[in-house]
Amino acid sequence: MEYLPAGAAPVQGHILCCQCGVPIPPNPANMCVGCLRAQVDITEGIPKQGTVHFCKQCERYLQPPGTWIHCALESRELLALCLKKIKASLSKVRLIDAGFIWTEPHSKRLKLKLTVQKEVINGAVLQQVFVVEYIVQSQMCEDCHRIEAKDFWKAVVQVRQKTVHKKTFYYLEQLILKHRLHQNTLRIKEIHDGLDFYYSSKQHAQKMVDFLQCTVPSRSKSSQRLISHDIHSNVYNYKSTFSVEIVPICKDNVVCLSPKLAQSLGNMSQICVCIRVTSAIHLIDPRTLQIADIDGNTYWRHPFNSLFHPKQLEEFIIMDINRVHEKKKGAGAGARSNKHTLAEAWVRKTSELDTDHQYFCSTHLGHILNPGDLVLGFDLANCNLNDEFANKMNPQHIPDVVLIKKSYDRSKRQRRRNWKLKELERDREGTDSDDERQYQEFLEDLEEDETIRKNVNIYRNADIPVESDTDDDGAPQISLAEMLEDLHISQDATGGEGAEMLT
């Protein structure tokens, strides 16, 4: 027996490994780590290789049994998906750590470094590190199968507007892009009077219909057709059709309201100008600056039509203009616009400059018009109004000319435009020069109307340099502060850029 000197601390004794005889600290197994690992493999039964399925079209991974999820490389979501594949095997050990080992993105390999612990002989706890390798196999998901088939759809939303101008559709397209509602569509088809959106489920189509009803004044109806029926499981397969009709009124239209509707809006004049169409129709009375908003339900109860075709716009020149600073309100009059200025103007058609024929009119554009300016408007004095309400009006209450907007050099505006918009990918029946003209008019409307511009994502076009202001003709422009940078994020074949590696 050995005795320790007085005041000396006890030293832990060592024992010899029962297998190799190496001195080791005492442990329940009486073995060194090398012999213990040689005797017991705690990773036995855990697969060292596996397979994950990846869809190249939508860049999603399959989470069994039938769910497809988006996962970036080396992300927590992808790590959880890989661990679930060996979850049953890991139930016999304790998982201490898990992380990715970096691999080339194009190698189609995912490597996981796992650290596990397990109690072995006589209560000894053994910790071991090993690698599990997954092979990424390509497999097209069901949604992409439907997209590639193009005819396999379960619901369609037919959006229609009975008008020759597509300004409302251009505005609607930008709203759909901003809110990313086009992601669930199988196919978008453009026809002469609207768009068709095809979906793989009725729920996605219903979501689009709800969005349209909240965005533009419209009405909808639905129907469904039975495709097949399984009498054993009582399962029915339907194809649903949603029809959405947008009000046939666009920006810069001149409309004639019914007497009852004009009276309910604060005794407005029946002849009004549509200044914009958002979730409601925004009208202004060019004689009094009185404004009113008409929603879809009100319109369908008291429908009215546009008096003129956009191609009937004529160019006038301002001969003289006087701004009206005070205008007495009539009985029961509603709110007036603070963004417009009432003015009285004498105008002459540019096609009649060799004559002395002038027209007198009231206009809401007094804040931007000066003598000598060119302005676009409609000539009501020399036209036949084929309208139910206009034909019953007192001729003295019908103005001779209604001015719509100031005219600028379109080619100069187009050359100076240093911004752009994104477009939906859709099947077109065919485009013509009139579609391009209407699209340019929509871009001009965005430059002139800040209210509409707030609902649209506008991207900077770096290819067009910013011109100097020396040749500025006063045309409205969009400031750089309102533009977004057009980002192009490149992604690998097996997902995008992920989070940091978990260790």
Side-chain angles (χ1 to χ4, degrees):
M1 180 179 296
E2 296 181 358
Y3 295 92
L4 295 174
V11 179
Q12 183 179 6
H14 286 69
I15 64 172
L16 300 179
C17 175
C18 64
Q19 294 289 331
C20 62
V22 176
I24 59 172
N27 62 67
N30 295 328
M31 291 186 188
C32 64
V33 176
C35 295
L36 193 59
R37 286 180 177 172
Q39 295 288 329
V40 181
D41 182 13
I42 64 174
T43 65
E44 186 179 2
I46 302 177
K48 305 303 186 295
Q49 287 187 342
T51 304
V52 293
H53 295 90
F54 176 75
C55 179
K56 292 183 178 180
Q57 277 71 17
C58 61
E59 298 183 346
R60 293 187 299 175
Y61 290 89
L62 174 62
Q63 180 175 328
T67 306
W68 292 83
I69 58 175
H70 286 281
C71 296
L73 281 178
E74 300 188 358
S75 64
R76 290 172 172 82
E77 294 80 7
L78 184 57
L79 180 62
L81 187 146
C82 294
L83 290 177
K84 284 182 180 179
K85 289 184 171 291
I86 57 175
K87 182 179 180 181
S89 303
L90 292 175
S91 61
K92 299 179 181 180
V93 296
R94 181 185 178 189
L95 181 63
I96 300 300
D97 193 11
F100 284 100
I101 298 177
W102 187 84
T103 55
E104 290 286 350
H106 56 78
S107 65
K108 299 293 184 180
R109 296 293 188 274
L110 298 174
K111 291 185 178 181
L112 263 63
K113 181 181 179 181
L114 305 181
T115 304
V116 295
Q117 286 182 353
K118 184 179 181 181
E119 185 176 333
V120 291
I121 303 172
N122 297 327
V125 177
L126 184 63
Q127 179 172 307
Q128 193 169 342
V129 179
F130 65 103
V131 176
V132 180
E133 182 178 350
Y134 292 92
I135 300 175
V136 181
Q137 290 188 353
S138 299
Q139 177 179 331
M140 186 177 291
C141 64
E142 294 181 359
D143 295 335
C144 293
H145 267 297
R146 296 189 181 102
I147 294 175
E148 292 299 321
K150 292 187 178 181
D151 292 328
F152 189 88
W153 53 271
K154 290 188 177 180
V156 59
V157 179
Q158 299 174 340
V159 187
R160 300 290 184 269
Q161 186 181 33
K162 298 178 180 178
T163 180
V164 294
H165 207 288
K166 297 181 179 180
K167 283 186 178 181
T168 305
F169 281 104
Y170 292 136
Y171 174 66
L172 193 60
E173 177 184 20
Q174 297 304 316
L175 291 178
I176 292 174
L177 285 169
K178 182 174 183 178
H179 296 279
R180 305 175 67 87
L181 285 177
H182 62 291
Q183 290 185 331
N184 295 323
T185 56
L186 301 178
R187 178 190 180 195
I188 302 176
K189 183 179 180 181
E190 179 181 354
I191 57 177
H192 65 283
D193 60 347
L195 294 170
D196 289 344
F197 298 87
Y198 294 89
Y199 294 91
S200 59
S201 68
K202 184 179 179 181
Q203 290 76 12
H204 291 154
Q206 185 64 56
K207 183 178 180 181
M208 172 61 81
V209 173
D210 296 340
F211 172 78
L212 294 175
Q213 291 181 335
C214 296
T215 305
V216 291
S218 59
R219 62 180 177 181
S220 65
K221 58 182 179 179
S222 61
S223 62
Q224 58 184 12
R225 179 165 57 96
L226 181 64
I227 303 300
S228 62
H229 173 214
D230 187 351
I231 59 174
H232 300 289
S233 59
N234 203 26
V235 174
Y236 294 84
N237 184 19
Y238 291 99
K239 278 192 174 182
S240 303
T241 301
F242 296 88
S243 177
V244 179
E245 182 181 0
I246 303 175
V247 296
I249 305 297
C250 294
K251 185 180 183 297
D252 298 335
N253 282 166
V254 177
V255 300
C256 183
L257 308 178
S258 65
K260 184 177 180 181
L261 179 59
Q263 183 180 8
S264 66
L265 296 176
N267 292 324
M268 289 184 69
S269 299
Q270 290 184 245
I271 303 295
C272 296
V273 178
C274 177
I275 54 177
R276 80 177 61 89
V277 177
T278 55
S279 57
I281 305 173
H282 302 268
L283 301 178
I284 189 170
D285 183 354
R287 289 185 170 184
T288 63
L289 295 187
Q290 188 173 336
I291 56 176
D293 298 341
I294 300 177
D295 58 13
N297 294 331
T298 304
Y299 175 84
W300 299 117
R301 288 198 304 267
H302 307 281
F304 51 87
N305 298 314
S306 175
L307 298 180
F308 293 95
H309 190 280
K311 292 183 179 179
Q312 294 177 280
L313 276 171
E314 297 186 66
E315 192 175 57
F316 296 84
I317 185 170
I318 303 294
M319 308 303 296
D320 190 19
I321 186 169
N322 295 316
R323 291 167 180 81
V324 180
H325 298 288
E326 293 184 4
K327 182 74 173 181
K328 186 178 180 181
K329 276 191 175 184
R336 290 184 179 180
S337 174
N338 297 323
K339 297 182 179 180
H340 300 83
T341 301
L342 185 63
E344 295 177 345
W346 286 94
V347 299
R348 180 183 297 178
K349 290 183 181 181
T350 54
S351 60
E352 299 177 353
L353 291 179
D354 54 344
T355 66
D356 295 332
H357 191 191
Q358 296 186 12
Y359 302 89
F360 177 78
C361 64
S362 296
T363 179
H364 59 290
L365 303 176
H367 58 296
I368 58 174
L369 295 181
N370 295 296
D373 287 344
L374 297 178
V375 61
L376 299 176
F378 293 107
D379 181 9
L380 280 72
N382 301 313
C383 68
N384 294 323
L385 295 178
N386 186 16
D387 184 80
E388 175 186 0
F389 305 121
N391 293 336
K392 298 178 182 179
M393 287 183 61
N394 187 341
Q396 296 180 354
H397 296 163
I398 300 178
D400 293 338
V401 172
V402 176
L403 302 182
I404 301 299
K405 59 181 179 180
K406 188 175 179 179
S407 178
Y408 301 96
D409 187 350
R410 174 167 292 177
S411 60
K412 185 181 295 186
R413 293 182 70 174
Q414 188 173 353
R415 185 176 64 252
R416 190 171 49 195
R417 187 171 293 133
N418 59 341
W419 55 273
K420 59 184 178 179
L421 301 176
K422 291 187 177 181
E423 297 183 7
L424 289 173
E425 295 183 3
R426 55 187 183 269
D427 300 335
R428 302 174 185 266
E429 288 187 346
T431 58
D432 51 22
S433 58
D434 190 54
D435 290 343
E436 180 62 27
R437 178 187 62 83
Q438 294 181 21
Y439 186 69
Q440 292 299 323
E441 291 181 2
F442 170 70
L443 299 182
E444 294 172 2
D445 292 342
L446 288 180
E447 294 174 337
E448 298 169 3
D449 195 338
E450 183 181 357
T451 304
I452 297 180
R453 202 160 62 230
K454 291 179 180 178
N455 300 327
V456 175
N457 284 342
I458 298 173
Y459 298 91
R460 182 182 177 185
N461 189 359
D463 298 334
I464 300 180
V466 180
E467 293 188 359
S468 62
D469 297 335
T470 55
D471 58 346
D472 189 7
D473 56 354
Q477 298 185 44
I478 298 179
S479 63
L480 291 176
E482 299 178 75
M483 301 181 192
L484 302 173
E485 292 292 340
D486 191 6
L487 299 177
H488 297 283
I489 301 177
S490 60
Q491 294 188 347
D492 302 312
T494 54
E497 183 181 358
E500 295 182 0
M501 183 185 300
L502 299 177
T503 58

